[in-house]
Amino acid sequence: MADDTALRFVQLADPQFGQFARFSGISDTEIEQFQQHKLNVKKAPSIAHFENETKRFTSAIEHAIEINPAFVIVCGDMINTPGAADEVAEVKRIASGLPASIPIFWTPGNHDVCSDTVRPTDESIATYRADFGDDFHSFHHGDSSFIVLNSCVLQRPENVREEFDRQMTFVESTLRSARSRGSKHIVVFTHHPLFLDHAEEPDDDLPFAPSPPNQEPGYWTIPLERRMPLIELFRQYAVEAIFSGHWHRNNYTRDGEMLMISTGAVGYPLGDDPSGYRVVELSDGGVQHSYHPLNV
Ligand SMILES: [Fe+2]
C-alpha cells in the first residue's frame, strides 16, 4: 500500500437516513418476510429519529478526515424517504465537516432519485439535482478519471428515455476523453451493482440475492439488456473497477480484469457485514481496497 504515487479515496454507500426508523416497530410477520428474502432486518422498538444514521455517518466522516483521502465518494441512498428535506439536511450537515481539501461526491441511489424508490422521472431527477448536484458526471484526479452514473436511470428508464440516451452518450464520450488524456486509471461509481456474480448473469434473481418482498426480480442489479452495452464500453476502454452499494453488504466479483465491488452500508446492514466504509488505493500495482467496520 505504501506508494508515493498512489491515490487514495474513501468510498461510502447507503448512509440512508431514516432506514433504522423504517425498520423499527414492524411486525414479526414483516420481519419474517424480509428474512425469507435474505434481508437481515432485526426486531427493534419503534423510533422516529435518525440518531443511528447520524452516529454512523459522523463516524465515517471522522475516519475519512483521519485518512485524508483525495476525495470521498458516496455511492447512493444518502436518504431513505424520497424527498425528505430533514434527511437531506442531516446528510449535508455531517458531510460539511470535511475540510475543503477533501471534496465529497454524491451518486444517486434509488431512494434519492426516485419518488417511488424504483423508477426515476424528470421531476424526481430535478429534485435530486437541486439537493445533490448532477446525477451523472465525471472528475479527474492526477492521472485517474472517475465517472459517476445514475444507475437508477440505467435500471428502470421507462419514464426517462431521453435521460437514458443522454447518459449513454456521456459514458462513451467520457471514456474516450479519459483515454485520450492518458488516464492511467478509470473507475466508475454507481449505486446499483451492474452484476453480483458475473457480467452475463441472467435477470432472474440469483439464489443468494433474492429481490426484497413485493419487488420485481432484478431489484439489485442492472438488466442484461442495458448492462451489456455498458460492460462492452467498459471492456473497450479498460475500466479498472466499478464501485457500488445498494445491496447493503459486501460483494466482490469481476469481469476479466475489471473489478465489480459492492460495498456494505454506512447505515443499516442487510447482510452479515457491519456498517462500514471502504478505503481504496490506485497505484501502478492496480486497485487495492479494504472494508472497515464502524465501531459505533
Ligand atoms: Fe440502500
Side-chain angles (χ1 to χ4, degrees):
M1 292 286 269
D3 178 341
D4 286 346
T5 63
L7 183 147
R8 187 184 295 123
F9 65 86
V10 169
Q11 185 224 356
L12 308 177
D14 301 274
Q16 210 153 335
F17 281 75
Q19 193 165 40
F20 275 89
R22 157 68 185 93
F23 286 149
S24 72
I26 61 175
S27 70
D28 290 349
T29 317
E30 203 180 346
I31 288 178
E32 176 66 17
Q33 252 193 334
F34 281 121
Q35 294 284 348
Q36 279 167 3
H37 290 247
K38 301 193 193 295
L39 297 168
N40 199 10
V41 174
K42 295 194 171 83
K43 194 168 177 63
S46 179
I47 54 166
H49 56 71
F50 36 68
E51 281 167 23
N52 293 309
E53 290 90 342
T54 293
K55 212 163 47 172
R56 283 163 176 76
F57 192 51
T58 301
S59 171
I61 292 297
E62 285 169 358
H63 281 290
I65 292 169
E66 230 168 85
I67 292 161
N68 192 27
F71 60 88
V72 173
I73 176 83
V74 186
C75 280
D77 280 0
M78 282 72 84
I79 63 169
N80 188 62
T81 318
D86 56 343
E87 295 174 8
V88 172
E90 183 67 347
V91 175
K92 290 166 87 169
R93 179 190 69 77
I94 296 166
S96 72
L98 285 165
S101 57
I102 309 177
I104 187 163
F105 298 100
W106 309 104
T107 311
N110 54 303
H111 286 258
D112 308 308
V113 77
C114 310
S115 39
D116 65 352
T117 74
V118 179
R119 284 175 176 79
T121 61
D122 289 332
E123 294 72 29
S124 67
I125 293 174
T127 303
Y128 175 86
R129 288 176 183 154
D131 287 335
F132 292 104
D134 287 342
D135 55 323
F136 61 91
H137 58 101
S138 65
F139 59 96
H140 307 287
H141 210 286
D143 55 10
S144 302
S145 292
F146 302 92
I147 304 178
V148 174
L149 295 181
N150 182 345
S151 60
C152 306
V153 166
L154 300 169
Q155 200 207 33
R156 298 281 183 260
E158 292 90 316
N159 302 322
V160 286
R161 290 283 171 198
E162 278 179 31
E163 287 295 330
F164 174 79
D165 293 342
R166 252 167 34 84
Q167 190 168 214
M168 290 305 288
T169 305
F170 162 83
V171 172
E172 179 149 31
S173 66
T174 307
L175 287 169
R176 200 182 317 117
S177 65
R179 279 291 161 236
S180 61
R181 76 193 290 278
S183 291
K184 275 199 200 160
H185 307 282
I186 303 178
V187 170
V188 172
F189 300 115
T190 59
H191 179 59
H192 298 77
L194 266 61
F195 54 93
L196 285 170
D197 184 62
H198 63 282
E200 284 95 356
E201 73 194 21
D203 293 342
D204 312 324
D205 285 348
L206 296 162
F208 66 89
S211 292
N214 309 317
Q215 295 287 354
E216 293 167 35
Y219 180 84
W220 298 116
T221 56
I222 304 298
L224 208 46
E225 179 191 351
R226 290 179 291 281
R227 184 197 314 148
M228 288 320 292
L230 269 179
I231 297 280
E232 275 152 25
L233 281 173
F234 293 172
R235 287 173 181 163
Q236 184 185 340
Y237 288 95
V239 168
E240 216 165 343
I242 306 163
F243 290 90
S244 67
H246 191 46
W247 202 35
H248 290 231
R249 72 201 82 179
N250 292 317
N251 191 64
Y252 306 104
T253 183
R254 59 198 305 147
D255 177 63
E257 295 296 303
M258 179 173 69
L259 306 180
M260 174 68 253
I261 294 153
S262 310
T263 291
V266 169
Y268 201 105
L270 288 173
D272 294 334
D273 299 307
S275 303
Y277 61 97
R278 187 174 300 285
V279 181
V280 185
E281 211 164 279
L282 305 178
S283 69
D284 290 345
V287 182
Q288 292 186 314
H289 59 93
S290 49
Y291 187 74
H292 304 264
L294 292 166
N295 295 314
V296 291

